[in-house]
């Protein structure tokens, strides 16, 4: 095996790791993106909502016995997916009792359209969730253990008996599930009547009311979906990544970068923004020391913001 | 059908409407004319529920509208085509019309309504998959009116459909409005700065100035009124 083949294998391996990571980041970003896109609310608590989702999946898997009942492999996936509806309801309640007080029709016309209050509320929510998590769950990292996270599929060899890439099974499955959830959400938003009404409420809340669309309800639904989607992504991450109550902070930066990269307000853009971040993080390890992974992400981020401020998928349609 | 009695609206300390009473009977075409800042748009927002009156009653088919949440009013049969068109810019033309059909009645009549709307404004048919934000002003006005019609309304409220449009387009929009009223037997409430067009097509009219009705009457009566002729018709 010569140098070229070794390099080729490294590149392919980094590429596949990037795709696996990017798919999950993409799903997280979609959750944040839909909340921002519909409600124009910057939710600093998104990372911590994801953390709650991770623990939700963890306890479904362990305490509620889904892991024993369905077997560790299937159980891990089912636990992550079940997190969705549970966290949807959690999101609805958060919106009903907290977020709706500083967003939507109620704050239209206020100074800064209520952004200051939103910032403080979501940041406070993040702190309470993270520290509440510390009280409830403790600081010892946990993860959903199954044989999947410690075994891999071998793809290849491509050249003779050389150059193969190894795909961690847990990450591979997480990617597939994440793509499926993102695609389902995409069809919901673009094709279904309800999804279109969410976009209408985002585009022009006042006109949406003239159509008979209950904008407050649309916002609540968007917040619920956004929470659920990010939580499912968290549940999937939990199947291969040990986490503790402060895990949200590690991911919320990635989510923000991804959403802005893709173009604020674009839900597809959010997915691809997350994907790009995953790819850059992993490909950067080929040429840079691992500590500089995130530096590479932000260099790309700055480049995009500099060259295309509306983001990769951002549209600049003038408001009528 | 629609009855406003002594409606007062204030924005902060500023009185936008000071005791306005307007009556629209079933099948009527009523125009409200008046200068900028007279409170015409506020009056419409009051009927739609975006702005709450501080005093006075609004009844629609005898029902007290002020007790009905804004988002429920379209379901009663009130379509509001807002000032400045306010189409959904990132939704396609067809999706805009679909949102108009959000009401129960609109959903039921969707196929017929769509056919009627595209027949009325054929240019929309060729642009049905285009984002509404990329259309010209006149086309957006067509989308806005079409969106209103898609809800299968009984009362169609039009707020300055001529705003910012070229004169020839304004003419064709007014022709369409008359046509819609004839075909659909709709009740129409029109707010306009262009007094000539508005008064010519209506049955009855109101003149609104600084939040008060200063004059009302049949269309002949208003067209021949000296004050109206001087102030609004420039004769």
């Amino acid at each position: 095996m010569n140098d070229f083949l070794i390099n080729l294998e490294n590149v392919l391996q980094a590429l596949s790791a990037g795709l696996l990571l990017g798919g999950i980041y993409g799903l997280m970003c979609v959750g944040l993106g839909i909340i921002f896109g519909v409600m124009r609310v910057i939710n600093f608590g998104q990372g911590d909502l994801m953390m709650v989702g991770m623990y939700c999946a963890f306890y479904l898997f362990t305490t509620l016995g889904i892991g024993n009942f369905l077997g560790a492999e299937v159980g891990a996936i089912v636990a992550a997916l079940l997190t969705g509806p549970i966290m949807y309801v959690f999101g609805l309640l958060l919106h009903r009792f907290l977020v709706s007080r500083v967003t939507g029709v109620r704050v239209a016309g206020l100074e800064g359209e209520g952004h200051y209050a939103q910032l403080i509320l979501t940041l406070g929510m993040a702190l309470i969730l993270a520290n509440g998590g510390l009280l409830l769950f403790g600081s010892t990292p946990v993860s959903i253990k199954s044989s999947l996270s410690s075994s891999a599929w071998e793809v290849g060899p491509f050249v003779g008996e050389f150059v193969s890439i190894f795909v961690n099974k847990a990450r591979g499955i997480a990617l597939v599930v994440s793509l499926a959830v993102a695609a389902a959400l995409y069809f919901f938003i673009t094709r279904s009547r309800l999804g279109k009404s969410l976009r209408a409420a985002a585009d022009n809340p006042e006109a949406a009311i003239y159509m008979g669309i209950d904008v407050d309800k649309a916002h609540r639904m968007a917040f619920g979906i956004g929470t659920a989607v990010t939580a499912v992504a968290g549940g999937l991450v939990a199947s291969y990544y040990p986490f503790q109550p402060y895990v949200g902070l590690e991911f919320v930066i990635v989510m923000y970068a991804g959403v802005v990269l893709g173009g604020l307000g674009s839900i597809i853009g959010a997915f691809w923004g997350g994907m790009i971040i995953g790819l850059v993080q992993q490909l950067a390890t080929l040429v840079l020391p691992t500590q500089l992974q995130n530096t590479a992400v932000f260099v790309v981020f700055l480049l995009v913001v500099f060259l295309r401020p509306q983001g990769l998928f951002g549209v600049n349609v003038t408001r009528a | 059908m629609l009855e406003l009695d002594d409606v007062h609206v204030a924005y902060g300390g500023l009185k936008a409407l000071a005791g306005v009473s307007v009556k629209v009977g079933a099948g009527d075409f009523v125009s409200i004319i008046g200068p900028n800042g007279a409170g015409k748009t506020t009056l419409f927002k009051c009927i739609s529920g975006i702005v709450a009156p501080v005093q006075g009653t609004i009844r629609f088919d005898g029902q007290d509208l002020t007790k009905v949440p804004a988002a429920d009013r379209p379901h009663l049969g009130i379509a509001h085509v807002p000032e400045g068109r306010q189409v959904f810019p990132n939704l396609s033309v067809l999706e805009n019309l679909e949102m108009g059909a959000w009401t129960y009645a609109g959903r039921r009549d969707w196929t017929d309504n769509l056919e009627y709307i595209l027949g009325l404004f054929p240019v929309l048919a060729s642009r049905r998959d285009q984002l509404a934000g990329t259309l010209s002003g006149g086309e957006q006005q067509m989308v806005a009116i079409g969106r209103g019609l898609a809800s299968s309304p009984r009362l169609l409220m039009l707020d300055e459909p001529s705003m910012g449009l070229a004169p020839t387009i304004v003419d064709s929009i007014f022709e369409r409005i008359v046509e819609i009223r004839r075909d659909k037997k709709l009740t129409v409430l029109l707010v306009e700065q262009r007094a000539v067009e508005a008064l010519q097509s209506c049955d009855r009219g109101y003149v609104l100035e600084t939040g008060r009705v200063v004059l009302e009457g049949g269309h002949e009566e208003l067209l021949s009124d000296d004050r109206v002729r001087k102030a609004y018709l420039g004769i």
Side-chain angles (χ1 to χ4, degrees):
Chain A
M1 200 159 159
N2 58 33
D3 279 355
F4 172 74
L5 290 182
I6 291 172
N7 281 333
L8 181 67
E9 187 169 85
N10 282 340
V11 170
L12 288 177
Q13 189 62 47
L15 197 65
S16 92
L19 285 171
L20 292 172
L21 194 60
I24 289 284
Y25 283 174
L27 193 62
M28 291 175 197
C29 291
V30 164
L32 182 64
I34 195 170
I35 290 178
F36 181 83
V38 175
M39 303 174 64
R40 305 283 149 184
V41 166
I42 298 171
N43 181 19
F44 284 105
Q46 196 76 9
D48 300 284
L49 289 172
M50 183 179 113
M51 177 273 293
V52 176
M54 292 169 101
Y55 276 100
C56 181
F58 176 74
Y59 284 113
L60 283 173
F61 185 83
T62 54
T63 314
L64 282 174
I66 288 181
N68 284 330
F69 183 65
L70 295 170
E73 287 70 27
V74 182
I77 302 166
V78 172
L81 287 175
L82 274 180
T83 302
I86 295 171
M87 290 301 287
Y88 176 75
V89 174
F90 187 66
L92 292 188
L93 292 174
L94 273 183
H95 181 271
R96 171 70 183 76
F97 293 106
L98 287 175
V99 182
S100 71
R101 292 175 187 275
V102 293
T103 59
V105 189
R106 223 183 263 203
V107 294
L110 280 191
E111 190 188 1
E113 289 175 333
H115 284 321
Y116 309 125
Q118 291 160 14
L119 199 142
I120 293 163
L121 179 86
T122 58
L123 205 57
M125 207 166 77
L127 291 171
I128 289 170
L129 287 176
N131 291 301
L134 205 57
L135 281 175
L136 279 173
F137 312 130
S139 60
T140 317
V142 293
S143 74
I144 295 175
K145 288 185 190 68
S146 74
S147 63
L148 294 174
S149 54
S150 53
S151 55
W153 286 297
E154 184 182 349
V155 184
F158 296 110
V159 184
E161 53 195 292
F162 304 116
V163 191
S164 24
I165 46 180
F166 292 91
V167 177
N168 179 293
K169 286 185 181 170
R171 289 173 187 251
I173 291 170
L175 175 72
V176 172
V177 175
S178 146
L179 287 176
V181 172
L185 192 68
Y186 174 74
F187 280 106
F188 169 72
I189 289 289
T190 54
R191 302 290 159 84
S192 78
R193 231 175 107 78
L194 210 53
K196 288 173 194 173
S197 81
L198 293 186
R199 281 156 58 214
D203 253 11
N204 189 333
E206 188 180 316
I209 292 174
Y210 295 147
M211 303 301 113
I213 296 167
D214 187 336
V215 171
D216 195 44
K217 225 165 155 185
H219 281 186
R220 188 161 306 153
M221 182 183 250
F223 196 83
I225 294 174
T227 304
V229 167
T230 301
V232 169
L236 292 168
V237 171
S239 69
Y240 59 79
Y241 187 86
F243 57 94
Q244 27 71 34
Y246 280 131
V247 74
L249 206 60
E250 295 169 38
F251 288 96
V252 78
I253 309 283
V254 167
M255 284 189 241
Y256 272 101
V259 169
V260 174
L261 205 61
L264 282 167
S266 163
I267 288 156
I268 299 228
F271 183 82
W272 290 116
M275 178 61 92
I276 288 168
I277 287 180
L279 282 169
V280 170
Q281 256 188 10
Q282 293 303 314
L283 290 173
T285 58
L286 291 172
V287 286
L288 294 171
T290 28
Q291 302 94 303
L292 290 180
Q293 271 187 342
N294 283 332
T295 314
V297 167
F298 282 96
V299 168
V300 172
F301 177 77
L302 285 177
L303 274 178
V304 171
V305 171
F306 185 65
L307 297 171
R308 208 180 141 76
Q310 72 271 41
L312 296 171
F313 289 79
V315 275
N316 268 343
V317 178
T318 47
R319 278 220 168 171
Chain B
M1 174 179 252
L2 179 73
E3 207 172 321
L4 287 87
D5 189 38
D6 192 32
V7 171
H8 291 253
V9 172
Y11 294 117
L14 204 73
K15 274 229 153 171
L17 294 179
V20 171
S21 302
V22 168
K23 247 188 195 172
V24 183
D28 278 1
F29 189 138
V30 173
S31 287
I32 299 173
I33 61 167
N36 253 338
K40 305 187 300 285
T41 296
T42 302
L43 185 70
F44 265 30
K45 286 190 172 176
C46 224
I47 300 171
S48 294
I50 298 285
V51 172
V54 289
Q55 192 187 321
T57 57
I58 307 172
R59 295 190 166 275
F60 183 70
D61 283 340
Q63 188 179 358
D64 184 0
L65 267 194
T66 51
K67 296 208 166 55
V68 181
D72 289 346
R73 299 188 194 185
H75 298 284
L76 300 176
I78 301 174
H80 184 161
V81 179
E83 184 185 24
R85 305 176 269 281
Q86 300 205 25
V87 296
F88 301 114
N90 296 308
L91 263 59
S92 73
V93 168
L94 189 66
E95 286 170 340
N96 264 276
L97 298 178
E98 274 179 61
M99 288 303 102
W102 187 257
T103 62
Y104 312 119
R107 207 176 308 191
R108 186 191 60 212
D109 306 335
W110 168 243
T111 334
D112 294 341
N113 282 341
L114 182 66
E115 196 184 333
Y116 179 77
I117 294 161
L118 296 181
L120 203 63
F121 304 117
V123 63
L124 295 186
S126 60
R127 302 203 183 279
R128 53 194 287 164
D129 296 320
Q130 201 171 320
L131 292 186
T134 64
L135 300 178
S136 73
E139 288 162 347
Q140 289 191 2
Q141 188 62 61
M142 295 175 198
V143 172
I145 295 175
R147 202 175 56 173
L149 288 175
S151 71
S152 285
R154 287 179 299 133
L155 171 67
L156 182 65
M157 308 202 304
L158 300 151
D159 194 349
E160 298 224 20
S162 74
M163 193 170 102
L165 301 182
T168 49
I169 298 174
V170 172
D171 290 345
S172 96
I173 295 274
F174 274 107
E175 281 164 28
R176 291 295 96 75
I177 293 171
V178 173
E179 193 180 329
I180 291 164
R181 190 222 178 178
R182 197 187 55 220
D183 293 347
K184 295 272 176 187
K185 314 269 182 294
L186 274 178
T187 309
V188 177
L189 182 58
L190 173 73
V191 150
E192 257 300 336
Q193 279 197 66
R194 288 176 170 260
V196 190
E197 287 91 343
L199 291 180
Q200 268 166 358
S201 14
C202 76
D203 305 320
R204 271 176 345 100
Y206 291 83
V207 181
L208 202 63
E209 277 174 16
T210 56
R212 281 170 219 281
V213 173
V214 293
L215 201 65
E216 61 175 287
H219 111 128
E220 294 292 334
E221 204 178 322
L222 287 179
L223 277 173
S224 57
D225 186 276
D226 275 346
R227 281 179 296 170
V228 173
R229 287 165 69 93
K230 267 208 197 94
Y232 298 103
L233 308 180
I235 310 168

